[in-house]
Every structure is written in structure tokens, then in C-alpha cells.
């Protein structure tokens, strides 16, 4: 899942940073996921979270291949300044965050949402219902990290597309 464990790159990438933020939250990743999944966080759910974030990044990268998709994503990041990363404990999986996440997941996967959910369930060993709860909780984290990167670097749509492409190629 992360390059730190996979040895693919020495520099931390988006996945490493997101996993670090989630693990650094009060209660860690397991605690956050337990809140979303109703207390059933385990190694499978942590694996599913990593796979879910990779899938979201992959979907965003695919959408950003089209210049209009990249511009649309860049515009959407104006609403995601990284504050979701600062509020992981109490804000993770909240009704407001999940509603935002549902919109994000709808834009990222569109009609493929069910297939993505089933694929992640098969790969992680977690049931599809849990994956369907987890993805909208993770989506604001992904967008928050991208928004933070955008704000910190002033990247344009091409830079964003390049960042996503490079990240997907390394996971």
C-alpha cells in the first residue's frame, strides 16, 4: 500500500502522507475506521482503507487525463483546503463529511461505483457494505490532501494531472 512498506520510492507520496495523517489521528486508523464501520475495524478494514484511497486517487487520475476533467478537479480543490486532515478525530465519518464524500465518490467513479466497491471488497476481504460506508469517509481526506498540495504549490491543472499520474504509477 505505501511506498514505505513497498520500497517503491524513497520520498513520501500522497498515499504515505494520507496514511500518516490517518494513523496519527487520535485512536489511529483503526479507531477512525471503527467509528465509521461500527466498531469492526481490523487488519482487513485497514487494508481496505489503503486500497480505497488508491482507488480514489486512480479515479481522480483517470478523470484528470482529460484537460476539462483536470480543470474541474482543480476547481473542486478550492473547497478542500486540507482542513479535513486537521479534523480527523471528531470529523472523520461525520454526517457532513460523509455527505461531501458521497458527492466526491459519485463524481470520481460515476456508474462504476458498484464495480469499484465489489472489487475493493474482493481484494480486502471486507464486505461490500463496509466498503460503501468507508469510501465516502475517505474521499474528503484524499481531496483535502490534494487541496493542501495545490495550495502549497500553486499548481495548475496540468501539474495536478501530473501529480496524480505519478502517484498512481508508484502505488
Amino acid at each position: 500500500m505505501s511506498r514505505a512498506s513497498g520500497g517503491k520510492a524513497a520520498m513520501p507520496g500522497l498515499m504515505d502522507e494520507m496514511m500518516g495523517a490517518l494513523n496519527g489521528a487520535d485512536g489511529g486508523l483503526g479507531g477512525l475506521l471503527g467509528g465509521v464501520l461500527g466498531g469492526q475495524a481490523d487488519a482487513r478494514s485497514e487494508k481496505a482503507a489503503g486500497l480505497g484511497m488508491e482507488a480514489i486517487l486512480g479515479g481522480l487520475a483517470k478523470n484528470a487525463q482529460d484537460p476539462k476533467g483536470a480543470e474541474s478537479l482543480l476547481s473542486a480543490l478550492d473547497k478542500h483546503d486540507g482542513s479535513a486532515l486537521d479534523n480527523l478525530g471528531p470529523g472523520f465519518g461525520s454526517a457532513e463529511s460523509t455527505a461531501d464524500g458521497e458527492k466526491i465518490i459519485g463524481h470520481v467513479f460515476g456508474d462504476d461505483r458498484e464495480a469499484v466497491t465489489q472489487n475493493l471488497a474482493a481484494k480486502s476481504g471486507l464486505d461490500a457494505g463496509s466498503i460503501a460506508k468507508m469510501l465516502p469517509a475517505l474521499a474528503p481526506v484524499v481531496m483535502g490532501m490534494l487541496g493542501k498540495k495545490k495550495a502549497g504549490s500553486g499548481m495548475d491543472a496540468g501539474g495536478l494531472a501530473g501529480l496524480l499520474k505519478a502517484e498512481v504509477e508508484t502505488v
Side-chain angles (χ1 to χ4, degrees):
M1 258 174 288
S2 79
R3 276 174 282 225
S5 62
K8 291 185 180 182
M11 275 182 57
L14 293 172
M15 279 300 300
D16 293 322
E17 291 180 47
M18 288 184 293
M19 290 303 279
L22 291 168
N23 282 317
D26 189 29
L29 178 57
L32 294 174
L33 295 175
V36 172
L37 302 176
Q40 59 176 322
D42 58 19
R44 292 174 306 147
S45 56
E46 291 186 23
K47 178 178 181 180
L51 292 170
M53 288 189 296
E54 287 176 7
I56 294 167
L57 285 171
L60 290 170
K62 180 179 176 187
N63 294 345
Q65 287 176 347
D66 177 336
K68 287 182 182 178
E71 285 292 341
S72 177
L73 176 56
L74 192 70
S75 176
L77 291 178
D78 290 337
K79 300 174 196 160
H80 299 277
D81 58 3
S83 59
L85 301 169
D86 300 329
N87 194 25
L88 284 175
F92 189 80
S94 68
E96 180 183 341
S97 173
T98 301
D100 185 34
E102 287 288 346
K103 292 177 192 172
I104 295 165
I105 295 300
H107 287 294
V108 172
F109 298 127
D111 293 340
D112 295 332
R113 180 180 184 159
E114 183 62 28
V116 170
T117 300
Q118 293 297 329
N119 185 26
L120 292 173
K123 286 182 177 179
S124 68
L126 205 62
D127 65 276
S130 294
I131 298 290
K133 290 179 187 176
M134 187 182 299
L135 287 174
L138 294 171
V141 173
V142 175
M143 293 294 285
M145 183 60 71
L146 289 172
K148 190 174 177 180
K149 292 287 184 189
K150 176 192 172 208
S153 69
M155 76 176 81
D156 62 8
L160 177 60
L163 173 71
L164 288 167
K165 180 180 179 190
E167 182 68 22
V168 170
E169 288 174 351
T170 61
V171 292

